[in-house]
Amino acid sequence: MIQWLYDGGSSDSSVSAAIISISIILLSGFLMTRVTKRLRLPNVTAYIVAGILIGPFCLNLVPKPIIDGTEFLPDIALAFIAFSTGQFFRFDILKKNGRKVVVITLFEALLASLLVFILTFFVLRLNLAFSIVLAALAATTAPASTMMTIRQTGAKGDFVETLLQVVALDDIVGLLAYSVAISIALHSATGEAFSIARVFNPILTNALVLFLGAVFGVGLSLLVKPRSSDNRLIISVALLFAFCGICTIFEISPLLGCMSMGTVYINMTDDDKLFKQLNYFSPPFLLMFFVRSGMSFDLPSLVNASGVVSSSPLILIGVLYFIIRILGKYAGAFLGCLMAKKPKETRNYLGLALIPQAGVAIGLASLGARSLGGETGNALETIILASSVLYELIGPASAKLSLYLSKSYSTKLEDLVEVNEKTEDGKEKTQLQLLIDRIQKIQEELPAHPINESEEAFTEAAENSNIAFWGEVQKQNLKEVVRKRRKS
């Protein structure tokens, strides 16, 4: 039906098809989360599966031209993800153990990339363009799954602080690696003579993007500070979109610049409420991005050999990539922690928490597929999407296991709170008395009305906007009454 509307010829039919397609994308993503929620799987998995089901290789509910017409979604999604990640780069926290975190991040990110490149280029004999870009994408992780698990368990300590900083820095290393890799890949595809400038150009470009993002961050802090809550949201979204547009003109990923914008903003204002408002505002964009990624998933090519990339089926390449990246992340984190002289609990289990891979990798894969084009780009996006589903299946469980094994949280009641084990007259309390005391102390420490912080920030902004709007209406009504009285 939607295809019929789109092919109808008139502009009204095309607009109707586009609007209905957006509705189907949003509803399919939401409905699939009802299924994955029962299976205790993350929403990202639901969105990708929903996209596969409604895409051209299954139900074909959304016309191909509409899918192609939403190529801007990866840039928008990356902008929101990157800006939110910037809030974790507080300079006062990074000063404490910044060097150690940098060492750990370089080891775990680059070792994973190196092992994947050895596998794809030297062992599987895949072409250079595909191998080097896939290896660069192996460096990235998914901060959302890890942070969600930390919030759920209430974990804290050195392990958690190290993990959060490594995950935040991880994507910067991944993006720089991707920028160099895509430049080499495009050079390899065109067959032009190699030059050192081709390697350093993307590094210089990303340095300029970092600087431009910092300028936008300063501008955001100056524009947002004196404004009402609704205008804060409007200005921040407008600047993020403008930055994405500038990056698209020059065919540069907006990820690093948006991270820089978020970092400068949080360090200049110490205002985390804007991030919470954006986190509550961004889910529809992220949903459409992940569902669209699922619709771009080439299911038949996963089991068929690709002559351009390899004579082996992509599913074999994907499974090997899945395993080798995990080994690289774990070994790299272990060696990095060893070099940084981190405690045994952090050294042994940090790698388990770095397994998830979704948002940033999928966004960069979409950009890479657009740059490389053809079967090479299609194969790259297919492998990243397929492996991301697997990573999101085991990632949260691995992160929770690492938090438990590192003793960052406990399921034992006696480890959650400390109480006096003796009565006022010096006698030992019974187990029942200790249990009652611990339960009472936990109840005292619980917030009176626990609600989602992002929802609270967004609701507060909406209420302030409503008050401001009706205040302006009342002012105009009062002026009209005064004007009529003067006339009479």
Side-chain angles (χ1 to χ4, degrees):
M1 177 183 173
I2 301 175
Q3 187 66 52
W4 174 77
L5 275 174
Y6 191 85
D7 295 336
S10 68
S11 58
D12 289 342
S13 298
S14 299
V15 170
S16 300
I19 293 172
I20 295 173
S21 295
I22 292 172
S23 174
I24 289 174
I25 289 171
L26 291 170
L27 285 174
S28 64
F30 166 74
L31 292 174
M32 188 55 67
T33 60
R34 303 304 90 191
V35 177
T36 55
K37 190 175 182 180
R38 291 182 176 275
L39 300 174
R40 297 189 176 183
L41 297 175
N43 286 347
V44 172
T45 304
Y47 301 153
I48 295 173
V49 172
I52 294 171
L53 291 176
I54 67 173
F57 300 103
C58 285
L59 301 178
N60 195 23
L61 296 181
V62 179
K64 189 70 166 62
I66 291 178
I67 299 175
D68 295 337
T70 55
E71 282 190 350
F72 62 90
L73 280 175
D75 299 293
I76 299 299
L78 280 175
F80 280 110
I81 293 170
F83 184 78
S84 296
T85 306
Q87 68 180 301
F88 299 106
F89 291 95
R90 293 177 185 266
F91 296 147
D92 55 339
I93 297 175
L94 289 175
K95 284 178 183 177
K96 293 179 182 177
N97 55 352
R99 290 182 181 179
K100 292 182 178 180
V101 170
V102 169
V103 170
I104 296 169
T105 304
L106 288 174
F107 266 88
E108 58 86 14
L110 297 181
L111 185 58
S113 293
L114 179 62
L115 292 182
V116 169
F117 182 73
I118 291 171
L119 167 74
T120 53
F121 189 69
F122 292 104
V123 178
L124 297 177
R125 303 287 183 179
L126 309 184
N127 67 55
L128 178 63
F130 178 85
S131 299
I132 197 167
V133 176
L134 184 64
L137 295 180
T140 62
T141 55
S145 298
T146 304
M147 288 187 285
M148 178 186 69
T149 307
I150 291 171
R151 287 195 202 104
Q152 288 175 345
T153 58
K156 50 190 172 183
D158 177 73
F159 181 87
V160 174
E161 289 181 6
T162 303
L163 174 60
L164 286 173
Q165 292 173 16
V166 167
V167 167
L169 285 171
D170 210 27
D171 290 333
I172 290 184
V173 176
L175 178 64
L176 289 172
Y178 167 82
S179 300
V180 174
I182 197 69
S183 177
I184 296 173
L186 293 174
H187 147 73
S188 169
T190 57
E192 294 179 13
F194 178 80
S195 65
I196 298 296
R198 284 190 170 271
V199 176
F200 283 99
N201 278 344
I203 297 176
L204 179 62
T205 302
N206 278 291
L208 292 174
V209 169
L210 262 175
F211 175 74
L212 183 61
V215 172
F216 268 70
V218 173
L220 180 63
S221 64
L222 295 175
L223 288 170
V224 161
K225 191 175 181 181
R227 308 293 174 185
S228 59
S229 297
D230 56 329
N231 289 329
R232 284 158 51 90
L233 193 60
I234 292 169
I235 291 168
S236 56
V237 171
L239 287 181
L240 282 172
F241 276 46
F243 190 84
C244 281
I246 293 171
C247 290
T248 304
I249 292 171
F250 296 99
E251 297 184 349
I252 304 167
S253 169
L255 181 63
L256 201 58
C258 289
M259 274 188 186
S260 176
M261 193 192 308
T263 301
V264 170
Y265 180 80
I266 191 67
N267 283 283
M268 285 189 67
T269 64
D270 199 30
D271 171 32
D272 62 347
K273 189 166 286 188
L274 179 65
F275 293 94
K276 292 170 184 174
Q277 290 172 349
L278 282 170
N279 288 342
Y280 200 68
F281 171 79
S282 61
F285 292 101
L286 298 179
L287 183 152
M288 288 191 290
F289 160 62
F290 286 118
V291 172
R292 183 196 177 274
S293 298
M295 289 190 290
S296 303
F297 184 78
D298 191 349
L299 198 59
S301 71
L302 194 61
V303 292
N304 297 327
S306 173
V308 175
V309 176
S310 168
S311 58
S312 304
L314 288 182
I315 191 169
L316 174 63
I317 301 171
V319 170
L320 291 174
Y321 166 80
F322 174 78
I323 296 170
I324 294 300
R325 179 183 169 274
I326 291 176
L327 293 176
K329 284 286 181 182
Y330 186 87
F334 185 91
L335 292 173
C337 289
L338 197 63
M339 292 288 291
K341 297 180 180 179
K342 280 289 185 179
K344 182 178 68 174
E345 289 79 10
T346 305
R347 183 182 70 226
N348 291 346
Y349 306 115
L350 184 66
L352 288 175
L354 299 173
I355 289 176
Q357 184 182 49
V360 174
I362 294 173
L364 291 177
S366 298
L367 297 178
R370 194 165 66 196
S371 300
L372 295 174
E375 289 188 33
T376 302
N378 185 56
L380 177 73
E381 192 170 17
T382 299
I383 286 178
I384 291 297
L385 283 170
S387 60
S388 292
V389 172
L390 294 176
Y391 284 128
E392 288 300 302
L393 289 175
I394 70 168
S398 300
K400 188 172 183 179
L401 179 63
S402 70
L403 292 170
Y404 179 76
L405 293 175
S406 64
K407 299 177 182 178
S408 299
Y409 85 99
S410 175
T411 56
K412 296 179 181 179
L413 193 61
E414 57 267 27
D415 293 336
L416 296 177
V417 290
E418 293 182 4
V419 294
N420 194 344
E421 296 187 359
K422 292 184 179 181
T423 59
E424 293 179 358
D425 54 4
K427 293 182 180 179
E428 293 286 337
K429 290 182 180 179
T430 64
Q431 290 298 317
L432 179 59
Q433 287 176 315
L434 288 172
L435 177 62
I436 293 171
D437 288 349
R438 289 185 180 117
I439 291 173
Q440 287 177 342
K441 191 165 184 180
I442 290 172
Q443 288 177 332
E444 290 172 3
E445 293 177 356
L446 287 174
H449 301 286
I451 63 171
N452 183 284
E453 290 182 345
S454 300
E455 182 177 357
E456 181 183 19
F458 194 82
T459 304
E460 181 183 330
E463 288 175 349
N464 290 341
S465 172
N466 197 35
I467 291 169
F469 172 76
W470 286 111
E472 188 64 30
V473 170
Q474 292 291 344
K475 192 187 296 182
Q476 293 298 327
N477 289 341
L478 185 59
K479 286 181 180 178
E480 185 66 21
V481 170
V482 170
R483 187 182 63 81
K484 287 181 178 178
R485 284 182 178 177
R486 283 177 179 173
K487 280 186 177 182
S488 59

